[in-house]
Amino acid sequence: MKILVATEKPFAAAAVNGIKEIAAASGHEVALLEKYTEKEQLLAAVADADAMIVRSDKVTAEVIAAAPKLKIVVRAGAGYDNLDLAACTERGIVAMNTPGQNANAVAELALALMIFMSRNQFNPGTGSEISGKRLGIQAYGNVGRLVAEKAKALGLSVTAFDPFVPAERMQEDGVVPAESLEKMYSECDFISLHIPATPQTIASIGYDLISRMPKGGCLLNTARKEVINEAELVKVLEDRPDIKYVADVAPACQQELSEKFGRQVFATPKKMGAETAEANINAGIAAARQIAAYFSAGCTKFQLNK
Ligand code: 3PG
């Protein structure tokens, strides 16, 4: 079978080598499409692919239609808002992600951004320490848990809100379950977002929540830019010059934000949460193993469109 690795943002070389080794050991071949700039390049590359590994690359209905042999697509990572699951299902294509594999890299970045913002983005001037501050984690999944663990080790008190995770699970980790999202925002110096982009969450973080943050509050977004209501974010930053917003990756209105608000905001130019060799290796190799197991044994663990 032919496995296409289509990554506009390429994996580290070690991850690609690992994918090739797993494919070869299972009798499959690998085709690489890296750093592509045009959709047409992807459409041409999928024409003879039986399987596909992607990162945030968009696997749309058009891509699926251009891939007549495609049987499985694996998003090497957690968020799968880039996959058209309905189009996959309609064609009988199995879609998977690799949950948890790049979580540590994203959690480390969240902590790094917290310190970066507390120290004036490493510019001269008096900053503040994160030890002793209160952190609220919105969504207690693989990334949220790791952020909690690391933040506790750095001396922060941690609370979390997640309607899908039992309170006892958080308490086991020494994390206080938040009574409500509103209360968490009003009581935390930092809020770290770890929600996926879904119809329910898109544009769900806006004026009402952010403006509840205490003086000097900092909202961290290493999830998806789409979960922020950008117009309302601009309004909060205008009304509350003490509040900071830091994001991986830049919102659509980033130019306006940096012109109007300077160091009140910071955004990475390209999503870099999972940009570590370790995360690439973990997620890329997991994706290759999942494809090999699907072809050899029909294994559908991690299938998203069951
Ligand atoms: C994810 O959802 O796994 C992360 O956002 C990483 O995305 P990336 O592979 O495009 O860096």
Side-chain angles (χ1 to χ4, degrees):
M1 299 282 181
K2 188 165 196 171
I3 303 172
L4 172 69
V5 178
T7 48
E8 179 270 322
K9 195 170 60 179
F11 285 128
V16 175
N17 291 339
I19 291 169
K20 284 181 177 163
E21 277 167 26
I22 290 163
S26 337
H28 307 302
E29 60 173 308
V30 170
L32 261 188
L33 175 69
E34 293 182 322
K35 293 187 190 172
Y36 61 94
T37 50
E38 307 299 327
K39 180 182 68 180
E40 285 63 33
Q41 294 171 271
L42 180 59
L43 296 179
V46 293
D48 61 350
D50 298 285
M52 205 177 167
I53 297 176
V54 294
R55 294 185 65 179
S56 289
D57 308 78
K58 289 196 177 7
V59 182
T60 60
E62 190 182 9
V63 173
I64 300 287
K69 296 168 75 183
L70 194 63
K71 297 155 193 65
I72 176 169
V73 52
V74 182
R75 192 282 192 243
Y80 50 89
D81 44 310
N82 54 322
L83 306 183
D84 186 331
L85 290 186
C88 289
T89 305
E90 202 175 309
R91 270 273 312 283
I93 295 167
V94 170
M96 296 183 183
N97 64 349
T98 64
Q101 298 293 345
N102 58 20
N104 189 66
V106 181
E108 286 189 11
L109 183 72
L111 268 294
L113 292 174
M114 214 182 281
I115 295 174
F116 179 64
M117 293 305 278
S118 300
R119 294 298 183 99
N120 303 322
Q121 300 181 18
F122 301 157
N123 287 290
T126 307
S128 58
E129 298 177 19
I130 64 169
S131 181
K133 302 293 189 304
R134 300 158 297 179
L135 166 65
I137 294 180
Q138 189 171 346
Y140 200 65
N142 290 312
V143 182
R145 273 179 211 137
L146 285 166
V147 171
E149 183 186 296
K150 293 172 198 307
K152 275 168 18 75
L154 289 169
L156 287 99
S157 58
V158 182
T159 179
F161 180 84
D162 192 328
F164 305 105
V165 175
E168 301 74 49
R169 176 70 191 79
M170 297 176 188
Q171 282 157 342
E172 278 165 22
D173 296 345
V175 169
V176 178
E179 279 170 37
S180 71
L181 197 55
E182 289 74 14
K183 197 159 186 291
M184 185 171 87
Y185 271 75
S186 63
E187 291 178 350
C188 288
D189 305 296
F190 296 97
I191 295 285
S192 193
L193 302 177
H194 301 292
I195 46 176
T198 66
Q200 291 73 39
T201 64
I202 287 173
S204 64
I205 312 296
Y207 195 93
D208 177 59
L209 283 173
I210 308 168
S211 62
R212 288 173 193 267
M213 291 190 77
K215 191 166 167 33
C218 180
L219 176 64
L220 299 137
N221 182 6
T222 54
R224 288 290 182 270
K225 65 178 177 184
E226 290 82 1
V227 303
I228 301 289
N229 181 324
E230 294 190 10
E232 294 189 19
L233 171 68
V234 170
K235 179 91 180 74
V236 186
L237 294 171
E238 271 165 3
D239 291 359
R240 291 279 308 275
D242 60 298
I243 282 189
K244 300 187 187 97
Y245 178 65
V246 57
D248 176 39
V249 58
C253 66
Q254 177 56 26
Q255 202 183 331
E256 179 188 0
L257 288 187
S258 48
E259 279 166 14
K260 277 193 178 162
F261 305 110
R263 288 201 204 118
Q264 218 180 325
V265 295
F266 176 82
T268 55
K270 198 155 185 136
K271 189 144 67 84
M272 61 176 299
E275 284 294 80
T276 66
E278 293 88 344
N280 284 184
I281 292 166
N282 291 342
I285 287 181
R289 288 206 174 114
Q290 288 171 213
I291 289 171
Y294 177 68
F295 284 138
S296 66
C299 178
T300 53
K301 194 173 173 192
F302 303 119
Q303 183 174 353
L304 300 162
N305 57 343
K306 271 188 177 156

